[in-house]
Amino acid sequence: MANRSEPGGQSRREFLKHSGCLAAAAAALPISRFAHAAGSEVLKVGLIGCGGRGCGAVVNALAVDAAARLTAVADAFADRAQSSLKALRARVPEQVAVDDDHCFGGFDAHRRLLESGVDVVILAEPPHFRPMHIEACVEAGVHLFAEKPMAVDAPGVRRVLAAGEKARAKNLNFVSGFETRYSDAAREAIQRVHDGQIGRLQAIQTTYNTGPLWHRGRQPDWSEMQFQMRNWYYFTWLSGDHLVEQHVHYNDVICWLMHEQPPLHAWGYGGRQVRTEARFGDIFDHHAVVYEYADGTRVHCYTRQQPGCYNENSKRAIGTLGQLQSGRTWSLHNIEGETTWTAAPSGKHPEVTCFEEMFAAIKTGKPINDSRTMAHSTMHAILGRMATHSGQRVTWDEAIQSELVLAPSGYAWDSDPPVLPGPDGFYPVPMPGMTKAL
């Protein structure tokens, strides 16, 4: 059972003006002594979450600034922090300057890293932990890059929004892992849509169909918490389900196309057809969601993780004068209709561009703050999951005001996770028509 806390929330209208409500209160907050000074030459980088994506982000970050140094790493699992540090030392040895006592493990590892004197933190832990780690970074006064998604539930989204306003008041950089927003080709494509080159937008379709992902098995000496943390992708409280963890990249593009306007509501289908073994936790293997907007625009999202099936990664925006088509690769965009346009080839990956722009912003003292859009896109995906898990049509206002917190009662290796297996070893899976969304 999930905990319920943090009463209150935001309506659809309130979400759009949220920043104004918080900025005044946050304006009086002092600038932290840890904020990296404009013009300073060396950036001390810390990594929280030492999986493949975290290590990749470190390599991206160090590649754009020869003076940057990785000075601390942290992960709930000490062995993963150590193995990742070893791999990074082999890959970028001249820029890894992590002392043995700056390789942190445990549920409090992030706090010890923040006390070590870093300037920039890369957050790449399981999504459940993103809101609390974002809050800790902002409180410590460090610049941060947060991998997507930003939360797994509505209270977490609200926490990210609030932290984003505090970061804005402290002049901290708050950069999002929604990489498409840092693609020059995508920026031009979206601007062309906003300029009316495909006419009035009528529908958007996104498809993110892939095969199965990794699984780390179960060791006999692992507690239930260790098993779920090692296999975090397969538990909704940790990943948000794959609609939130993976397809959220496309939810972000939808929100961008729609000028960040929230939908009225969402409904859809989802379930487990082939992901039937107990080891796969409680997430679905397919989702289909329809989002409906006040101006009549309909958005159709499809995502599937099943072996041996047709795979596709694409986005399509359909207007009255033409359509924008985009592939999985960040540089593939073209417009067909009254206007014909194809994006110029680009060899620079937006996962690099985001750090180029972030580090430049740090050194010029002109911070980037993506918190509002990254929170909005995450909530857009969470709304879709609420609809597929419950089988109900869920409004944006209901979703963003939800008080349902997906979290354990405590963070320790012997604590019980919020979902536990039954006597047969199987976890309770959401049942459309029976599961409560809010």
Side-chain angles (χ1 to χ4, degrees), residues 50 106 223 380 391:
C50 297
S223 67
H380 195 274

Side-chain angles (χ1 to χ4, degrees), residues 127-128 149 151-153 228 231-245 272 280-284 287 382 385-386 389 404 406-407 418-419 427-430:
H128 168 81
V152 297
D153 52 34
Q228 293 194 22
N231 294 285
W232 60 268
Y233 202 98
Y234 300 97
F235 294 91
T236 301
W237 76 274
L238 284 164
S239 70
D241 204 330
H242 68 95
L243 177 65
V244 176
E245 202 287 328
R272 287 163 65 107
F280 291 125
D282 67 347
I283 68 168
F284 285 178
H287 301 260
I382 291 172
R385 185 202 68 218
M386 289 177 168
H389 277 197
L404 183 64
L406 304 180
V419 58
Y427 297 88
V429 175

Side-chain angles (χ1 to χ4, degrees), residues 89-132:
R89 281 176 171 154
R91 189 164 181 183
V92 282
E94 69 283 358
Q95 288 180 275
V96 175
V98 181
D99 296 333
D100 290 341
D101 61 353
H102 283 59
C103 183
F104 305 106
F107 282 107
D108 66 343
H110 68 289
R111 296 197 179 279
R112 287 179 283 150
L113 179 143
L114 290 170
E115 292 168 358
S116 72
V118 294
D119 302 308
V120 179
V121 170
I122 294 170
L123 299 179
E125 69 290 66
H128 168 81
F129 296 96
R130 202 82 78 239
M132 69 178 74

Side-chain angles (χ1 to χ4, degrees), residues 138-222:
V138 173
E139 184 64 27
V142 301
H143 306 284
L144 67 99
F145 167 87
E147 187 49 80
K148 56 76 192 169
M150 304 307 147
V152 297
D153 52 34
V157 170
R158 298 199 298 267
R159 291 169 67 181
V160 171
L161 280 168
E165 296 310 317
K166 289 182 180 179
R168 190 168 280 107
K170 288 186 173 186
N171 292 322
L172 297 174
N173 283 268
F174 193 144
V175 175
S176 155
F178 286 116
E179 63 187 48
T180 307
R181 302 238 186 187
Y182 286 87
S183 160
D184 289 339
R187 286 168 170 172
E188 182 176 355
I190 300 297
Q191 187 59 55
R192 286 173 176 271
V193 172
H194 288 170
D195 288 344
Q197 290 193 11
I198 67 169
R200 183 174 62 82
L201 194 58
Q202 295 182 305
I204 302 171
Q205 177 180 315
T206 62
T207 305
Y208 206 134
N209 291 340
T210 67
L213 303 180
W214 54 267
H215 194 283
R216 299 191 175 100
R218 183 193 290 268
Q219 298 299 320
D221 60 335
W222 287 353

Side-chain angles (χ1 to χ4, degrees), residues 20-92:
C21 300
L22 290 170
L29 291 172
I31 305 300
S32 170
R33 64 186 177 89
F34 292 115
H36 192 81
S40 180
E41 293 183 359
V42 177
L43 285 171
K44 296 179 180 179
V45 179
L47 169 64
I48 299 175
C50 297
R53 178 63 194 113
C55 291
V58 167
V59 173
N60 294 150
L62 298 181
V64 306
D65 188 339
R69 295 291 182 269
L70 178 70
T71 62
V73 297
D75 195 278
F77 293 103
D79 64 322
R80 188 158 57 194
Q82 293 162 359
S83 62
S84 295
L85 179 56
K86 181 179 179 180
L88 287 167
R89 281 176 171 154
R91 189 164 181 183
V92 282

Side-chain angles (χ1 to χ4, degrees), residues 8-19 21-22 154 157-158 161 396-402:
Q10 298 176 303
S11 69
R12 183 167 167 274
R13 180 178 298 173
E14 288 168 338
F15 187 94
L16 294 173
K17 63 179 183 180
H18 178 92
S19 59
C21 300
L22 290 170
V157 170
R158 298 199 298 267
L161 280 168
W396 174 271
D397 289 357
E398 291 171 334
I400 190 62
Q401 293 174 17
S402 171

